[in-house]
Structure formats: C-alpha cells, structure tokens
Amino acid sequence: MKKLRFIFSNILFTFRYSWKISKLNFLLVAINIAVSSMKPFILLYIPKFIIDELTSTRRWQVVLWQIALYIGVLIFFFLFDMFWGRILERTKAGNNVKNHLLYANHFLGMDYEKFEDSTVRDLQERVVGNVQANNFVWNDYYNLTVNLLQFAGYTYIISTVHPLIILFILLITALNLIIGYRREKIGYQYQVDTAQYGRKFNYLFDRMINFEFGKEIRINNVSQWLRKKFLKVLGDYTSVYNKNQNRHMKFNVLSAFITFVQTIVLYGYCAYKTIVGDITVGNFSVFLGAIHNFSDTLRGVIDQLEHLFVYVTRFVADYKQYTEIATPRHAEKGTVDIETKNFKQHEIEFVNVSFQYPNTENFVLKNVSIKITQGERLAIVGYNGAGKTTFIKLLCRLYEPTEGVILYNGIDISTINYAQYTERLSVVFQDYKLFAFSVWENITLGRKYSEAKIMEAIEKSGLEAKIKSLEKGTETAISRDFDADGIEFSGGESQKLACAKAYYKDAPIVILDEPTAALDPVAENELYTRFNNIIGEKTTLYISHRLASVKFCDKVAVFADGRLTEYGTHQDLMQRQGLYADMYKKQAQFYMEEVPV
C-alpha cells in the first residue's frame, strides 16, 4: 500500500505539474485521443465491407461508394494530422519554453552551497529534460489512454473469433512484460551511470570552444591536453553505452522470438477458420488486423505502464527531490519585513558563528564573533584559505551558519525577507562576472533606469573616458558573443565597471571581496583609493590577503585557519607583533609610502 500511495502521489504531482505548464495541453490531447482511438477501427472496417462486397454480390455502385468513403476518410485523417500537427508543434514549443524557465527558476533560486554540491549537479543532470509536461501529456497520458481504448476495441473483435486467442496473447504479453521491466530498469541505471559523463563532456567541450579560455589554451599549449581529457571522458561514456546496448540486445532478441511464435500461431488459426467457412474473407482481414494491432496495443499499454512506473518512481521522484533541494531556505524562513522598519543604522554582528560544508567534518569557520557598526570601515585580512570569503558568503546569505547566528540591527538575517536583505548589500566579489549585454545593463542589472545615475557611477568608478571613447557609449555590448561591435574590457576596466555596478545599487553596506587579487599592489591601491572616495559614509568591508585597503579602515580583522585571531586598529595590531604585523612587514615595500607604521 505504501508503494501504491507513493506511485499515485507522484502521478498526481505530475498531473499538477503539467497542468501548471499548460492547461491547453489537456484539451488538445482529449481531441487527439478521440480521433486517434477511432481511426484504426474505421480504417479496418471500410476495407472489410469492400472485400465482402467483391467476394459476394459484387454490386459495382456499392463498391464505388465504399471506395469513395474510404478515400474521403483517408483525406480527412491526412488533413487532420497535417493541420492539427501544426497546432500541436506550436503548443509544445511554448510548453518547452515554460519548462526551461521552470528549470532555470529552480537553478536560480537554489541555495548557493547546494549549487556547489556535485551530487546535486548530478541529480540536476538526470532530471532536466526528463521531467517535462510535453513528455508526460503526449507520451505517457496520451499514448496510454489511446492504447487502452484501442485495446478494448480489439479485445471485443477477437473475442468473437475465439476467447482463448486473447488468453494466448496475454500469456505472450506477460513474458514480454517481464522482459520490458528488466529493460526499463537497465535504462534508468544507464541514466544514473552516465550523468557525470554528460556534465564532464559538456564542460570540456565548452572550454575548448569558449572564447574566455582561448588565450589560456594557446599560450600554455593545452589543446592536446584538453583533447585527451575529452577523449578519455568520451571513451568512458562509450564503454558504459556499449555495455548498456549489449544488455538491451539480449532482451530485444528474446522479445522478438516470442512475438514471432505468436504471429505464426494466430495467423494460422485465422486462415484455417476462413478456409472452413466460419468467417468471411472480409472478416479475415479484420481479424488479422485486430490480432496484429491487439498485440501492438497491449504491448503499448504494457510499455507505457512500465515506462510510467519507472518514470514516476524514479525520474519524478528524483525531480521532487530536486525541487525540495532547489527550494531556498529563505523561501520559508525569510518572513520579517524590514522595509517597514525604516532603519537609519546598518549594523552587522556575528555571534559565535561556525560553518562546515555538508558531508564534511572540518569547520571552515569556527566560533567567529565580531560587530560591525554603522559607517565603520573594516579590513578583513589573512592568507589564502583563512576563511575570509566564507565569512562574506555567510554575511551575504549564500551560506547559512552551521552554528551561531548573524544579526542585522539585532535581527537574525535568516528570518529577514531575502530580497529586502540583499538589497542592503553592494558586493564586488573576487570572481565577479559581467554579462554579454550593454554597459548600462551590466550596471543597472534590471533596476530602475536612470541615465544621470548611470553616468555618475561611471564617472565615480573612473570609466568616464573609456565610455566616451566608445561609439555607442553605454549601449556598447560587453564581449562579442552576440554583437560584432562589442568590446572586451581590460581587467582593470572590468573591475571599474564592477565597482560602478556596486555604486549604482547604492546599498548601505558595501563589500569588496578581493576584486583586485589579479592586480599589482600599485593598481590595487589606486582602485581602493578611488572606491573609498565614492562610498561616502556607508558601512564598508574590504577583504584581502594584501594590505592596500588598511589605510582606509577603522578596524582590522585578521583570519587564520577559519578563526578570527586578531582584531583592532592598525597601530594596535602592529604593537602586538602577531600575524598581522608579520604580514604587514612582508608587504611593507609595497605600502611604505601609503600606510605609515
């Protein structure tokens, strides 16, 4: 009973899912079911009447009318299939777009830490494309219903010859059912086994043709290396594919042999009944067609039931699991509306915060407590792997603390409306990304358009001269992916654009997470100086393993091995002669003129 409830629950889920994608689908499929169910019986019986007339009274007027009727029916079905097919293709195309958007929404809304989990990505690879409204409505629901209705009609026709024929066909079909079930299980396991290869295959192929990797590949002569990796993945996939095909072949051969035996027995019996005069020649043609189609429709019913069983117990179950994973935590927890509170102060506090990745034992961050007050400029420093970026991802709610709590003006950030909270953060990540759209779209990112504010952001970030030199100005596309007149910004120009984006957002809390890691110390210092001048009195966090940002900051937080090991002003930390002082002395030649000891 538990298994049945599970199956029916998943079937109901799939109906709701398909109804959500397209209600029109169900109306169209109902019309198609009515026409498709009647079509084979009409095309069986009209020739029967023609044959019986030709083998008995031979009235040529009747034969002509019957032939005319048959031609008219053929024309009707031809026109129906042609015009109806066009309607269906348009509807299915629209449904596919909706399906893609639904999958994209799952992907866009997923918690970042889950997004980074390879097992989740493998699960996504299995479900994307397999669970679709079109596939269910037109492959499972439509085919199963049509096959069931036709099966009922053929059963009635055959029973008029001899009821035992049906039992014989059912026996043969039962054998095919067992074979088919084993084949479907192999098919599902094949999907599981090849999911990782599909991701690796697409990743390597994308890197080989991706413009962004073009220079890296050529300057390091890694073409052959990438090709070898690509061929290795292809070889591994081919091995699994061939093994799957060989296993399928055994079942296919056995099924074909059983069907062959069935055909010989049944056709022979019908021929005998015609010879002894028990049935007419016309009825013989109907019975042969009915027997042949009975087997096909019964096999179709069984195949569809097998597929539906595997579909709802495996693929739909996987999809439901994926939707649960893709549902962000803040969808349920983020209920506090901070828009109504009209905060004038913007204070962040970490209270005994620890974090570890799922399925790991070591903490990336451990017992961190720190308070960042309104208008404060805080430098977060430490060597690579110290936990600085994890600290920022927790603050940005990309991760959720394993232990402890993060407060915004005394409110647990996990309880705040997610969109409202993130609107209070302007972040420039180390691995910031630009979209292949216009300059102004990369700055506004869908927010309300203000030309004056866009130009102010460009001016403040130091991009004004560059933008003025472009023929299309802010309409210029970033990259040439979709626009031959697009531009490839230099690293420094891209960073300035990222800063302009943060300035345009105008959030009260600003975070720079090592966006200058690829710059030399002088260029880094110049960018920090410019950014410090444009942020005004906002609460600001500078994250770096280098110390160019220190001179702008009120306090310095030093991270090492996932812990906050030192905290204070630059002068205080230099006097302690700890990790910070050691880092500073090693980098002193770069900052001697900018930051006095």
Side-chain angles (χ1 to χ4, degrees), residues 278-379:
D278 288 346
I279 60 175
T280 66
V281 176
N283 281 333
F284 174 77
S285 69
V286 171
F287 291 141
L288 284 187
I291 289 170
H292 175 75
N293 291 336
F294 178 91
S295 301
D296 286 345
T297 54
L298 181 56
R299 190 159 48 246
V301 169
I302 293 169
D303 287 345
Q304 286 302 135
L305 287 174
E306 290 172 356
H307 181 268
L308 186 62
F309 177 78
V310 174
Y311 181 75
V312 299
T313 59
R314 304 293 175 85
F315 291 109
V316 173
D318 283 347
Y319 180 75
K320 289 173 71 175
Q321 180 189 358
Y322 178 70
T323 57
E324 290 172 5
I325 291 173
T327 302
R329 287 184 298 268
H330 58 73
E332 296 179 359
K333 296 178 64 177
T335 57
V336 176
D337 183 356
I338 56 175
E339 291 287 348
T340 59
K341 297 183 182 299
N342 195 26
F343 288 125
K344 302 300 182 183
Q345 302 291 310
H346 303 281
E347 186 175 87
I348 297 290
E349 183 176 7
F350 279 61
V351 182
N352 296 321
V353 171
S354 299
F355 177 77
Q356 64 182 155
Y357 289 101
N359 306 316
T360 61
E361 295 181 0
N362 297 326
F363 280 87
V364 183
L365 223 59
K366 187 66 177 175
N367 292 331
V368 173
S369 294
I370 187 173
K371 192 171 188 176
I372 307 164
T373 59
Q374 168 63 32
E376 180 180 337
R377 281 165 165 71
L378 175 68

Side-chain angles (χ1 to χ4, degrees), residues 38-212:
M38 294 185 297
K39 180 177 178 180
F41 298 104
I42 294 173
L43 296 181
L44 269 179
Y45 271 94
I46 295 179
K48 163 198 155 35
F49 296 134
I50 295 173
I51 292 171
D52 283 342
E53 184 65 31
L54 290 173
T55 55
S56 57
T57 56
R58 300 183 181 181
R59 293 170 294 177
W60 66 269
Q61 299 97 331
V62 174
V63 172
L64 288 177
W65 275 110
Q66 290 171 340
I67 292 174
L69 175 64
Y70 189 62
I71 293 172
V73 168
L74 290 176
I75 292 173
F76 168 79
F77 284 129
F78 172 78
L79 293 175
F80 178 84
D81 290 342
M82 183 174 65
F83 289 108
W84 198 251
R86 293 182 65 182
I87 296 173
L88 295 185
E89 287 305 314
R90 291 178 183 177
T91 304
K92 289 180 180 180
N95 294 341
N96 282 333
V97 172
K98 293 177 182 178
N99 254 119
H100 279 80
L101 286 174
L102 189 61
Y103 278 116
N105 287 334
H106 290 322
F107 197 69
L108 291 170
M110 187 185 299
D111 291 323
Y112 188 79
E113 63 189 76
K114 294 174 184 174
F115 173 78
E116 291 183 324
D117 188 340
S118 62
T119 59
V120 175
R121 301 297 293 276
D122 285 340
L123 178 62
Q124 180 191 35
E125 186 76 14
R126 293 206 301 273
V127 301
V128 172
N130 286 321
V131 180
Q132 292 194 20
N134 282 342
N135 291 346
F136 174 71
V137 174
W138 290 102
N139 294 343
D140 291 298
Y141 175 60
Y142 167 76
N143 287 333
L144 180 59
T145 305
V146 169
N147 281 324
L148 283 171
L149 291 173
Q150 291 181 356
F151 173 72
Y154 293 133
T155 300
Y156 171 76
I157 293 172
I158 294 170
S159 65
T160 62
V161 180
H162 201 297
L164 288 179
I165 294 178
I166 295 173
L167 293 178
F168 176 71
I169 297 175
L170 290 175
L171 176 62
I172 296 295
T173 305
L175 295 175
N176 280 327
L177 173 61
I178 297 171
I179 294 170
Y181 177 68
R182 296 290 300 275
R183 189 167 51 221
E184 285 289 339
K185 286 185 68 176
I186 292 171
Y188 174 78
Q189 188 58 45
Y190 173 71
Q191 292 273 357
V192 175
D193 293 340
T194 56
Q196 58 172 314
Y197 298 120
R199 287 202 303 116
K200 290 180 181 178
F201 183 93
N202 292 332
Y203 174 84
L204 288 166
F205 183 74
D206 177 71
R207 294 308 178 266
M208 288 192 288
I209 66 171
N210 195 310
F211 175 79
E212 293 182 5

